[in-house]
Amino acid sequence: MSASQRIILCPLSLPLRFRRSSPSTAFKLRSFLFLRSSPSFVTLVRSLSFSSAISTSLSPSAISCKLWSWEDTTDHVKLVQWEDTTDDVKLGKGARKEQKWKEEPKPNRISTDMEGSSVSVVEDITKRLDGLSFSEKHGPANASVQPILFGSVQLPNQVPIQGQNAIWKPNSYGTMSGATAVQVEETSVDKSAHLNQGTGVGQASTSQKSRFGLSKLFKGNLLESFTVDNSTFAQAQIRATFYPKFENEKSDQEVRTRMIEMVSKGLATLEVSLKHSGSLFMYAGNEGGAYAKNSFGNTYTAVGVFVLGRIFREAWGAEAAKKQEEFNEFLERNRICISMELVTAVLGDHGQRPREDYVVVTAVTELGNGKPKFYSTPDIIAFCRKWHLPTNHIWLFSTRKSVTSFFAAFDALCEEGTATPVCKALDEVADISVAGSKDHIKVQGEILEGLVARIVSHESSKHMEKVLEDFPPPPVEGASLDLGPSLRDICAANRSDEKQQIKALLQSTGNSFCPDHSEWLGIEAGDDHSRNADGSVLSKFLQCHPADFSTTKLQEMIRLMRERRFPAAFKCYHNFHKFDSVSSGNLFYKMVIHIHSDSVFRRYQKEMRHKPELWPLYRGFFVDINLFKVNKEKAAELAKNIRSSVENGSSAASEKGELADEDANLMIKLKFLTYKLRTFLIRNGLSILFKEGPAAYKAYYLRQMKSWGTSAGKQRELSKMLDEWAVYIRRKYGNKQLSSSTYLSEAEPFLEQYAKRSPQNQVLIGSAGSFVRAEDFLAIIEGGRDEEGDLATEREVTPPSPGPSVKDSVPRDEGLIVFFPGIPGCAKSALCKELLNAPGGLGDDRPVQSLMGDLIKGRYWQKVADERRRKPYSIMLADKNAPNEEVWRQIEHMCHSTRASAVPVVPDSEGTDSNPFSLDALAVFMYRVLQRVNHPSRKEFDSELVERFGSLIKMPLLKSDRSPLPDPVKSVLEEGINLYNLHRDRHGRLESTKGTYAKEWAKWEKQLREVLLANAEYLNSVQVPFEFAVKEVLEQLRKIAKGEYKTPVSGKRAFGTIAYAAVSLPATEIKSRFDELVRKNPGAEVVLGDRHLKNLTKAHVTLAHKRSHGVTAVANYGVFLHKEVPVELTALLYTDKMAAFEAELGSVDGELVVSKNEWPHVTIWTAEGVAAKEANRLPELLAEEKASCIHINPPIAISGTLEFF
């Protein structure tokens, strides 16, 4: 080695003692003198040791340890020093020091004579050390350095010398006692290791990261000494995120109605995707990081990185390593984050243990330096096919026929659907179907969590077709290769602790995809330091000046959430990827915005309506934060730039897409009962079952099923199965609760055995068997951690009881309909008059108007709907009786079409088993209530209204301390009820002045008047004062308007499991036509004359049944749902055991409605023990002369609505 390449090291050891400290308190300062020797081979190797104590008059802040580097170039000489200053004289175990590189002022240009230069430098350093006594110690000094590195920090402005590549690495770094020899080793350094200048604002120069010594640099409390002033700025950039959490304020039925309306008008396309049962996993490249929903650097993300890396090996084969590196570089260069559903058997049980471990890409997000931009689904597919990544199964519905058929297909399958029939049905009704690259049935199984439906651009279909043409499915290059140990093998082989398991997963992933493990294991081998940052990061971040528009918006979001006290955490961590860039004036952190309650998303959406410029609140929300200081000139420049960027950003934010914000966010999750019975009813009920017992568990699962709108038949079947499960698992486990993360180990075998008992049980369970045992390879999660909610027990939100803790107001941009499901005499008109004149209205600024039914000519509710459209934000008092389900259905439809909520107001009455009003109330309301048809019991009456409209206002009517009803009044009312029953059975809805009992009605009405007038004093005395009733109703209405009462939801769950499609006909008219026809035909009267059809309450023409014709056949009638269909009855076929009208169906909107039945008909009667479906055989029996036929000419014209049943 030439002398010109020789390094001279002078280790200086300065043991210092302070008189005020304890005798044992001591520390040492070490300095290394680096000299590149001159050709004269001048070499100095010295170790200088101070033995004298330092006086307390010496300021600790003045003590410094300096590292000098001599650099020789053709143009100038630089002297760079490493300065280690200590402010605190108490340097005990927790000592913290501020360290930084500092460049000395450049000297004047000097001679390029190397020897002269070297001598000058030696003399200069000698002068600085003058007066110090030192003892000579020898050490090796024969390694060439280019560039010089101190630990992992590269000295700035080093110039390569003669192409030599060597690096000096110390064994350790920090405070040491005594003079210690420094080892020097030769190693090659890639040119790429040279200093790279950072591109972010405030970012310091970075170099290749070393595993040794960096964490020591951050044991000093840099944040505490970081003061916020006019020169302090913050830059925040979103690092990873998923779609905003959708919280529909409308009911599911309203959302579905709006979706159908938009697609029908050509404004949008409905996109539907499979919901794989797994966990959210986000990846932004090796430097960008891997993230779960609310955390990073743990088992969940290690598993995700391993699975994603293995996907690359499967897809690319021999090219995998190269493509992995390119993919990381692509994501980091373009600041892109991909979101995936991570499906694996090692992270806990969902609805079914998957057969394979895999990911499916669900979102691709360009983060840039501003608001995240999410790729459209066609662009996601193009991106994934380019990189050979797994895609989801997607369906597009762009016509009214297809979108209505989709919702009908789901309703037909929602209680028993599994992957095979669901995918088959959607493939048949969709306009475009794009199969996923991972077949759900093969990789996860038959149990399907659900579907996600959302509104997208109407151009999506064309875009999708173009992408499918340009990007065909890529080949699988690594299918035949040995990919090494699987995820389950690795987890099973590393069961000692969580850290060991993580390390094994990352090592198996390979350096080409995951070269840096610091996010999981720290930055220093064996160092167990915490990555948690001080809580003051957030406050200082909010105090700093924003460096760009993105930071401004994120600060705005966080401030609002803190001001509103939303239940959310803003957790800050050290950013290990930026450790080489950290200095006292340049700090880097990662922030996790963790939302603790889904209600936050709904509340934040309300804030966005008032402040449209707010950025959305995303799920999986991670932000990189840089706090830094600049000089005055740079501060002024940044301030100017931020003003410009805010203006540009605001104008860009004001630009609207083709869909309005409200419609752009239309999304709905549709889950299947076969999944929910496992997760919500079995797994989530374990805690209740073991802690509170079987009775509490039964109450829990019944409440869940009711909230889902589960059919009565399925509720009975599930109750039987769940009761048996509760006995089985309690007997086996006693008081020790079964773990929810491995509950399928017990539940799956139980369900499999239960399903084998009958075909009905098999349909109920959906699929069971092919059990995967997970106990041997389940990932280790120390401390029972559940990824802060990512794999937390899923909770189906049960509608909360009204109370002060939950306040949902009627939105001010919507209207309110107040209606009266009572009868004449309930004082509704008087009440409306008082409400109109009430001071202050209902407590807000919306106008209140009333429409009196007696003054409206024509169709009253149509007039109300017209007024609602004309004044959409008004409060409408519907002054007309709304006594039955037919009227309520109209009000529901009106709410859907005019964006209103509805509130029913009913007289407060106990009711009877057969009527919603007590005899006392009937006496007050008069006898006309007896002319109403099909009144339910009081309990059913109230429940129906609450279920449909979400709340119920009761108007006080009768005093609680009233005396019993007088016998004459009671007798006359009971007589009237009996007369009503006779009239209804004979004549249906025929007026009381007509028919067989007309004289009896007249006689009874006269008697009723006499009795009621005779007891007028009693009837007046039992009523509460009207002023009190008005006050009570007004207070309740004001609570609803102000949000201090549970929001009325204008829509009962009008969808659910579907068995068949049919045209529903008016039963009363069918019965009347039948009686008339039989009387005119003597032969029929002999056979059917005594059939009064007392039990005929429903009549319909069946169009298709899912058992006979398939789900798709039923679903295709969705386009005609709720539409009026003309029907002609052309003949009556009958035997002594059954009778049915032959029917011919007409057209709707120019399209003929065609029944899938070979013989469309209306079954009107069957003998006891004869099933209604047997009527399908009547034409066959007629041909065999075993049935009779009466032809109807001209045909009977009638109409009905097409409905699903």
Side-chain angles (χ1 to χ4, degrees):
M1 180 180 296
S2 66
S4 62
Q5 298 172 341
R6 189 168 300 163
I7 294 178
I8 300 163
L9 307 177
C10 295
L12 309 179
S13 179
L14 290 77
L16 306 179
R17 291 186 182 273
F18 292 95
R19 300 191 185 279
R20 290 183 181 178
S21 62
S22 63
S24 61
T25 304
F27 68 95
K28 299 189 177 185
L29 300 179
R30 294 183 54 82
S31 291
F32 294 90
L33 179 63
F34 292 79
L35 299 178
R36 186 167 59 237
S37 64
S38 66
S40 61
F41 303 98
V42 176
T43 302
L44 294 175
V45 182
R46 294 286 188 268
S47 175
L48 297 91
S49 178
F50 294 82
S51 58
S52 60
I54 296 179
S55 170
T56 56
S57 61
L58 178 61
S59 170
S61 62
I63 302 173
S64 66
C65 176
K66 298 184 178 180
L67 172 65
W68 299 92
S69 171
W70 170 256
E71 180 177 316
D72 189 353
T73 70
T74 55
D75 296 326
H76 63 273
V77 177
K78 286 185 179 178
L79 197 59
V80 181
Q81 74 176 34
W82 167 261
E83 185 166 284
D84 185 351
T85 62
T86 305
D87 293 332
D88 191 348
V89 299
K90 297 181 181 180
L91 299 179
K93 183 177 180 180
R96 297 178 179 272
K97 298 185 288 184
E98 179 183 357
Q99 303 160 331
K100 58 186 178 180
W101 283 106
K102 173 180 163 183
E103 181 175 315
E104 288 291 297
K106 295 180 182 179
N108 295 329
R109 184 180 181 90
I110 60 175
S111 169
T112 57
D113 182 271
M114 294 297 294
E115 184 170 355
S117 299
S118 301
V119 171
S120 299
V121 172
V122 172
E123 290 177 351
D124 181 64
I125 295 174
T126 302
K127 290 179 181 179
R128 291 175 181 264
L129 299 176
D130 188 33
L132 300 179
S133 63
F134 56 88
S135 59
E136 179 174 297
K137 295 195 178 186
H138 298 278
N142 55 3
S144 176
V145 175
Q146 184 225 345
I148 294 176
L149 298 178
F150 186 76
S152 65
V153 182
Q154 180 177 312
L155 299 185
N157 303 320
Q158 295 297 301
V159 179
I161 300 175
Q162 300 179 6
Q164 300 298 319
N165 293 324
I167 186 170
W168 171 76
K169 293 184 179 179
N171 280 341
S172 60
Y173 164 64
T175 303
M176 292 178 284
S177 61
T180 305
V182 179
Q183 295 183 359
V184 180
E185 57 181 351
E186 281 192 24
T187 180
S188 62
V189 177
D190 192 279
K191 292 181 179 180
S192 64
H194 289 184
L195 184 65
N196 293 320
Q197 203 72 16
T199 56
V201 179
Q203 180 175 329
S205 302
T206 61
S207 64
Q208 183 180 355
K209 187 178 296 183
S210 167
R211 296 279 179 202
F212 298 96
L214 278 180
S215 65
K216 301 292 190 299
L217 194 63
F218 293 92
K219 286 183 177 177
N221 197 343
L222 298 181
L223 182 65
E224 184 177 336
S225 60
F226 187 89
T227 57
V228 178
D229 51 35
N230 287 334
S231 65
T232 309
F233 285 78
Q235 183 184 40
Q237 294 180 318
I238 297 177
R239 182 65 273 181
T241 193
F242 191 51
Y243 293 113
K245 175 83 172 179
F246 61 89
E247 286 288 326
N248 295 322
E249 294 196 346
K250 297 182 176 64
S251 67
D252 283 355
Q253 181 60 52
E254 288 178 294
V255 173
R256 289 164 60 143
T257 301
R258 179 57 180 161
M259 286 176 165
I260 293 172
E261 180 184 358
M262 293 185 67
V263 173
S264 300
K265 293 180 178 179
L267 301 175
T269 295
L270 184 72
E271 177 188 286
V272 177
S273 59
L274 280 184
K275 176 68 176 75
H276 290 255
S277 188
S279 310
L280 175 63
F281 172 62
M282 294 170 287
Y283 187 71
N286 178 61
E287 288 288 333
Y291 307 89
K293 186 167 71 172
N294 294 308
S295 64
F296 65 98
N298 53 23
T299 298
Y300 302 93
T301 55
V303 168
V305 168
F306 175 86
V307 173
L308 182 58
R310 192 178 180 90
I311 291 288
F312 267 90
R313 294 200 295 275
E314 290 176 355
W316 290 99
E319 285 191 277
K322 175 186 174 184
K323 291 298 180 180
Q324 287 172 337
E325 291 179 352
E326 291 177 359
F327 185 65
N328 278 335
E329 194 274 335
F330 177 82
L331 294 183
E332 290 157 11
R333 183 179 72 249
N334 295 284
R335 288 190 57 81
I336 288 177
C337 168
I338 61 170
S339 301
M340 294 154 278
E341 193 76 14
L342 171 62
V343 184
T344 171
V346 308
L347 293 177
D349 287 342
H350 292 272
Q352 185 178 31
R353 285 181 186 162
R355 298 170 182 174
E356 298 180 15
D357 303 306
Y358 65 98
V359 295
V360 170
V361 177
T362 53
V364 178
T365 315
E366 286 185 359
L367 301 172
N369 292 317
K371 187 176 180 180
K373 175 187 176 184
F374 293 89
Y375 280 22
S376 67
T377 299
D379 288 336
I380 291 175
I381 292 176
F383 176 91
C384 290
R385 290 187 173 182
K386 173 186 175 183
W387 291 104
H388 296 197
L389 295 173
T391 55
N392 203 354
H393 200 150
I394 303 294
W395 296 271
L396 294 179
F397 304 87
S398 54
T399 63
R400 176 177 174 80
K401 180 177 178 61
S402 64
V403 72
T404 53
S405 296
F406 159 69
F407 284 118
F410 171 77
D411 290 344
L413 291 167
C414 64
E415 289 192 346
E416 54 195 46
T418 55
T420 296
V422 169
C423 292
K424 180 177 182 294
L426 267 59
D427 284 342
E428 291 173 350
V429 300
D431 297 307
I432 295 178
S433 175
V434 185
S437 52
K438 292 290 184 181
D439 187 333
H440 190 286
I441 299 164
K442 294 180 180 178
V443 296
Q444 182 155 44
E446 281 288 354
I447 298 303
L448 178 61
E449 179 175 343
L451 304 168
V452 177
R454 64 172 186 162
I455 284 294
V456 296
S457 167
H458 71 285
E459 297 291 337
S460 289
S461 295
K462 293 180 181 179
H463 191 185
M464 183 68 78
E465 290 173 349
K466 177 65 174 172
V467 165
L468 296 179
E469 180 182 345
D470 294 344
F471 296 90
V476 180
E477 303 288 351
S480 59
L481 298 180
D482 180 9
L483 302 178
S486 69
L487 172 66
R488 302 180 193 192
D489 293 335
I490 295 171
C491 289
N494 295 272
R495 305 285 295 170
S496 58
D497 58 48
E498 184 180 16
K499 199 165 198 177
Q500 174 60 31
Q501 207 169 63
I502 291 175
K503 187 179 296 185
L505 288 169
L506 298 177
Q507 289 173 347
S508 298
T509 302
N511 287 336
S512 58
F513 194 59
C514 187
D516 188 345
H517 302 172
S518 62
E519 204 164 84
W520 292 270
L521 304 176
I523 60 168
E524 184 171 330
D527 190 15
D528 194 27
H529 61 274
S530 172
R531 63 179 180 175
N532 293 339
D534 189 276
S536 62
V537 172
L538 180 63
S539 61
K540 293 193 176 185
F541 167 67
L542 295 177
Q543 294 170 24
C544 288
H545 299 299
D548 54 20
F549 180 68
S550 174
T551 308
T552 302
K553 302 310 293 182
L554 290 169
Q555 286 178 332
E556 179 184 30
M557 172 191 291
I558 294 171
R559 288 191 185 105
L560 184 143
M561 294 175 68
R562 296 182 78 194
E563 289 170 2
R564 299 292 188 272
R565 299 185 179 277
F566 289 168
F570 305 93
K571 297 177 288 188
C572 296
Y573 304 90
H574 292 295
N575 189 342
F576 289 169
H577 292 296
K578 297 291 187 181
F579 262 24
D580 289 340
S581 304
V582 172
S583 68
S584 60
N586 196 36
L587 307 180
F588 296 87
Y589 301 95
K590 282 182 180 289
M591 178 189 291
V592 181
I593 301 179
H594 183 186
I595 305 302
H596 292 307
S597 171
D598 283 350
S599 65
V600 173
F601 292 100
R602 183 176 64 252
R603 294 166 65 186
Y604 190 85
Q605 283 175 356
K606 291 182 178 179
E607 295 289 342
M608 290 184 68
R609 284 201 297 270
H610 299 298
K611 299 179 180 178
E613 70 278 3
L614 282 173
W615 275 14
L617 181 59
Y618 301 99
R619 285 176 291 168
F621 207 158
F622 298 83
V623 181
D624 283 349
I625 292 178
N626 179 202
L627 308 180
F628 61 94
K629 290 181 176 292
V630 295
N631 56 35
K632 291 182 179 180
E633 292 76 12
K634 186 65 175 178
E637 180 183 345
L638 284 174
K640 180 181 179 181
N641 291 340
I642 185 57
R643 283 193 297 270
S644 174
S645 65
V646 168
E647 292 173 1
N648 295 335
S650 299
S651 60
S654 63
E655 297 177 3
K656 298 291 182 181
E658 58 181 300
L659 295 176
D661 288 343
E662 182 180 3
D663 292 330
N665 294 325
L666 277 182
M667 188 180 294
I668 188 171
K669 276 185 181 178
L670 305 167
K671 293 192 176 183
F672 293 97
L673 186 60
T674 50
Y675 170 85
K676 293 192 289 188
L677 76 87
R678 288 164 165 79
T679 53
F680 297 120
L681 301 186
I682 293 180
R683 185 189 67 183
N684 294 6
L686 287 173
S687 177
I688 296 173
L689 175 59
F690 281 91
K691 292 180 181 178
E692 302 179 38
Y697 176 60
K698 188 177 186 72
Y700 162 76
Y701 72 65
L702 287 174
R703 185 170 61 249
Q704 288 284 24
M705 288 190 287
K706 183 179 180 181
S707 71
W708 297 334
T710 308
S711 66
K714 287 295 182 185
Q715 286 196 45
R716 287 191 297 269
E717 293 178 42
L718 283 172
S719 295
K720 180 182 178 183
M721 186 270 288
L722 293 170
D723 287 344
E724 190 172 325
W725 157 256
V727 172
Y728 164 80
I729 201 65
R730 290 260 298 182
R731 183 182 298 152
K732 185 170 183 178
Y733 276 74
N735 294 324
K736 182 182 178 182
Q737 181 178 327
L738 173 65
S739 170
S740 61
S741 62
T742 57
Y743 83 99
L744 285 174
S745 296
E746 296 293 345
E748 195 73 18
F750 170 84
L751 294 173
E752 183 178 8
Q753 292 301 316
Y754 192 86
K756 289 179 179 178
R757 297 182 194 174
S758 69
Q760 184 182 28
N761 286 0
Q762 180 65 55
V763 172
L764 177 71
I765 300 304
S767 176
S770 302
F771 180 65
V772 178
R773 180 173 176 80
E775 285 78 2
D776 295 335
F777 53 72
L778 197 68
I780 299 172
I781 311 296
E782 293 180 353
R785 205 170 60 243
D786 65 359
E787 206 286 283
E788 303 172 274
D790 193 28
L791 292 178
T793 301
E794 298 178 66
R795 297 177 177 85
E796 188 73 10
V797 179
T798 302
S801 300
S805 61
V806 180
K807 294 186 178 182
D808 287 334
S809 62
V810 176
R812 296 298 177 88
D813 57 352
E814 294 185 3
L816 186 65
I817 302 173
V818 181
F819 69 102
F820 302 86
I823 55 177
C826 69
K828 61 183 180 303
S829 296
L831 178 63
C832 288
K833 182 179 178 181
E834 293 295 327
L835 294 176
L836 278 173
N837 297 327
L842 298 186
D844 63 15
D845 54 359
R846 282 176 292 183
V848 181
Q849 62 179 134
S850 176
L851 284 179
M852 182 176 288
D854 295 340
L855 301 180
I856 301 299
K857 296 181 180 180
R859 300 171 64 184
Y860 175 82
W861 295 107
Q862 182 60 51
K863 180 68 173 177
V864 173
D866 293 341
E867 284 295 310
R868 284 281 313 116
R869 293 187 182 92
R870 196 168 64 86
K871 299 179 180 179
Y873 308 132
S874 66
I875 297 175
M876 171 64 70
L877 305 178
D879 184 5
K880 185 177 179 63
N881 294 319
N884 53 36
E885 188 174 355
E886 181 180 352
V887 178
W888 302 344
R889 196 178 293 126
Q890 293 183 55
I891 296 172
E892 282 184 284
H893 179 71
M894 191 188 313
C895 291
H896 299 160
S897 60
T898 65
R899 293 193 64 209
S901 297
V903 182
V905 180
V906 299
D908 194 0
S909 171
E910 297 88 352
T912 67
D913 291 339
S914 60
N915 201 286
F917 303 105
S918 66
L919 290 179
D920 303 55
L922 294 179
V924 174
F925 297 153
M926 305 298 286
Y927 81 96
R928 286 171 291 176
V929 68
L930 303 177
Q931 292 179 313
R932 298 297 181 185
V933 181
N934 294 333
H935 282 301
S937 68
R938 180 67 191 202
K939 184 177 180 181
E940 293 171 339
F941 180 77
D942 287 356
S943 298
E944 179 73 4
L945 289 169
V946 171
E947 193 167 310
R948 282 177 177 273
F949 303 104
S951 62
L952 184 67
I953 291 179
K954 293 187 177 182
M955 179 173 63
L957 176 65
L958 302 172
K959 294 178 179 178
S960 59
D961 58 349
R962 64 186 181 277
S963 57
L965 192 67
D967 288 339
V969 176
K970 185 176 181 180
S971 297
V972 75
L973 291 176
E974 289 175 344
E975 183 180 345
I977 291 173
N978 293 332
L979 182 58
Y980 165 75
N981 290 331
L982 290 171
H983 179 89
R984 181 192 60 188
D985 291 344
R986 183 81 176 194
H987 301 292
R989 300 181 68 175
L990 191 66
E991 293 180 9
S992 61
T993 57
K994 301 176 182 179
T996 310
Y997 305 101
K999 293 182 179 179
E1000 284 80 359
W1001 274 120
K1003 180 180 178 181
W1004 177 82
E1005 182 178 352
K1006 181 180 179 182
Q1007 183 184 0
L1008 177 68
R1009 285 197 180 98
E1010 292 174 354
V1011 171
L1012 292 180
L1013 290 174
N1015 290 275
E1017 184 176 351
Y1018 169 82
L1019 294 174
N1020 287 324
S1021 67
V1022 298
Q1023 299 180 52
V1024 299
F1026 183 64
E1027 296 78 11
F1028 175 78
V1030 172
K1031 179 183 177 183
E1032 288 293 309
V1033 172
L1034 186 60
E1035 286 182 0
Q1036 293 179 71
L1037 283 173
R1038 282 175 173 168
K1039 286 181 179 180
I1040 288 176
K1042 293 179 180 179
E1044 298 173 355
Y1045 188 88
K1046 187 178 184 301
T1047 304
V1049 180
S1050 57
K1052 178 185 177 183
R1053 180 183 168 89
F1055 56 92
T1057 183
I1058 290 176
Y1060 61 93
V1063 177
S1064 180
L1065 301 173
T1068 304
E1069 188 170 353
I1070 292 292
K1071 178 183 177 299
S1072 175
R1073 297 287 188 169
F1074 173 80
D1075 289 341
E1076 182 181 351
L1077 197 62
V1078 168
R1079 284 196 298 268
K1080 292 180 179 179
N1081 291 271
E1085 191 169 18
V1086 173
V1087 180
L1088 303 172
D1090 60 343
R1091 314 300 181 192
H1092 296 296
L1093 307 185
K1094 291 184 178 180
N1095 298 325
L1096 184 65
T1097 58
K1098 296 179 180 179
H1100 62 264
V1101 181
T1102 301
L1103 302 175
H1105 198 289
K1106 70 178 180 181
R1107 300 289 181 220
S1108 305
H1109 307 100
V1111 171
T1112 304
V1114 175
N1116 283 334
Y1117 289 103
V1119 69
F1120 303 119
L1121 190 62
H1122 307 317
K1123 295 291 185 71
E1124 191 166 318
V1125 181
V1127 178
E1128 289 187 344
L1129 305 180
T1130 59
L1132 174 65
L1133 279 67
Y1134 62 91
T1135 68
D1136 59 347
K1137 294 182 178 179
M1138 54 188 149
F1141 280 116
E1142 184 177 74
E1144 290 186 2
L1145 300 168
S1147 299
V1148 175
D1149 298 331
E1151 186 174 352
L1152 183 66
V1153 179
V1154 180
S1155 174
K1156 298 296 181 181
N1157 277 338
E1158 292 183 9
W1159 184 57
H1161 63 279
V1162 184
T1163 302
I1164 57 177
W1165 170 76
T1166 59
E1168 187 174 351
V1170 178
K1173 66 179 181 180
E1174 291 297 317
N1176 284 293
R1177 298 184 60 243
L1178 280 170
E1180 179 185 343
L1181 295 173
L1182 180 63
E1184 298 172 356
E1185 298 183 353
K1186 295 179 181 180
S1188 301
C1189 175
I1190 301 174
H1191 292 284
I1192 305 173
N1193 191 14
I1196 299 172
I1198 196 170
S1199 65
T1201 57
L1202 194 150
E1203 304 289 348
F1204 290 130
F1205 298 90

